[in-house]
Amino acid sequence: MRNKYIFILTITIVSSFFLSLASEGFKEMKRKNVEIDKKKNILSAIGVAIDSFSVDDIDEYFQSNIDSLIINTDGLVVDKISIEDLNEVENKSTGEVRYFYENKEFLPLYVETNENVIIMPISGKGLWSSLFGYFALDADNYSTVKGITFYAHAETPGLGAEISKKWFQDNFVNKEIYENDNLKSIAVAKGKADENSKYEVDGISGATITSNGVTTLLSRDLKRYEPYFYKNRR
């Protein structure tokens, strides 16, 4: 009888050990998948064709061409903090994500050095969910839009979920966020945009609240980065 209990105890200990190893392995795998997904969306925001990219290709492109910066709310680059140090805090009501380190707010920024483009995380509220994406600007003038992507939301398929579709995101390319020296941002129209406007894109039929959410989050998040734009605009 005693040998029976020793055997059961041994099996339990060994099983727990291997389950622990598997859990740690899956945790690292999940972390890597999240990291790669973030990199893929950053690259998508600047128009990099990643469909044929392997994980190694994405890592290599990122390491060779993307610099990660942290700026403070005055628009100054901070050298002693990395993006990994930042604590993300989401406002569940507005969908806005803000970034903190030691109770001070900072802003993450990515720079594509080959094409001279900056990429910012954007977030806000749609109809049913928070919207998360990236927004890219030409770093020569900090005004011309190079791309936008939305990668996480729970909006209605065929309606608000169209923000993830290429047709909607392509609307933003080559639009402008500055009118002379005034930050104007970009509005999502209700229906068709004025084809002569640099500051408006086509809306999504039947998805007014989601469209308004995109307009609101862009205006708000770009305003947060404006001190950096102001210090670097040519």
Side-chain angles (χ1 to χ4, degrees), residues 17-205:
F17 173 73
F18 281 110
L19 283 173
S20 177
L21 286 180
S23 176
E24 287 302 313
F26 285 131
K27 186 184 297 184
E28 176 59 23
M29 186 182 299
K30 181 180 179 181
R31 185 201 65 78
K32 183 63 176 178
N33 287 340
V34 169
E35 176 189 326
I36 289 298
D37 188 59
K38 180 174 76 172
K39 289 179 178 179
K40 285 170 64 177
N41 282 286
I42 290 171
L43 297 185
S44 293
I46 56 177
V48 177
I50 61 171
D51 290 345
S52 62
F53 275 27
S54 67
V55 170
D56 289 340
D57 291 333
I58 292 170
D59 275 335
E60 182 179 349
Y61 189 100
F62 216 84
Q63 291 170 9
S64 299
N65 300 289
I66 306 289
D67 289 336
S68 300
L69 303 179
I70 299 296
I71 60 176
N72 62 23
T73 53
D74 293 323
L76 298 173
V77 175
V78 179
D79 294 326
K80 297 181 179 180
I81 305 174
S82 70
I83 286 179
E84 290 73 22
D85 293 327
L86 299 181
N87 179 35
E88 298 184 12
V89 178
E90 179 188 349
N91 184 319
K92 297 295 184 180
S93 176
T94 65
E96 179 185 14
V97 174
R98 298 172 68 184
Y99 304 84
F100 296 89
Y101 178 73
E102 294 184 346
N103 296 320
K104 292 184 180 180
E105 184 176 6
F106 295 91
L107 301 169
L109 186 69
Y110 301 91
V111 181
E112 208 281 6
T113 56
N114 189 44
E115 298 293 335
N116 200 27
V117 175
I118 61 168
I119 308 101
M120 299 152 284
I122 53 175
S123 56
K125 201 70 175 178
L127 173 60
W128 303 113
S129 67
S130 294
L131 316 174
F132 303 96
Y134 291 98
F135 190 74
L137 289 175
D138 189 325
D140 284 327
N141 61 16
Y142 293 88
S143 179
T144 305
V145 180
K146 305 302 287 186
I148 188 173
T149 183
F150 287 97
Y151 62 89
H153 61 78
E155 299 301 279
T156 307
L159 296 174
E162 293 292 297
I163 62 172
S164 296
K165 297 296 181 65
K166 188 175 186 298
W167 76 264
F168 179 74
Q169 297 177 7
D170 283 351
N171 278 330
F172 289 82
V173 178
N174 293 324
K175 295 294 184 177
E176 304 287 336
I177 66 167
Y178 271 94
E179 185 177 33
N180 298 320
D181 289 327
N182 298 314
L183 180 62
K184 191 174 179 70
S185 189
I186 296 174
V188 180
K190 185 175 181 179
K192 293 291 289 184
D194 179 353
E195 62 181 18
N196 296 314
S197 175
K198 298 179 180 178
Y199 314 101
E200 192 176 54
V201 298
D202 291 346
I204 302 169
S205 179

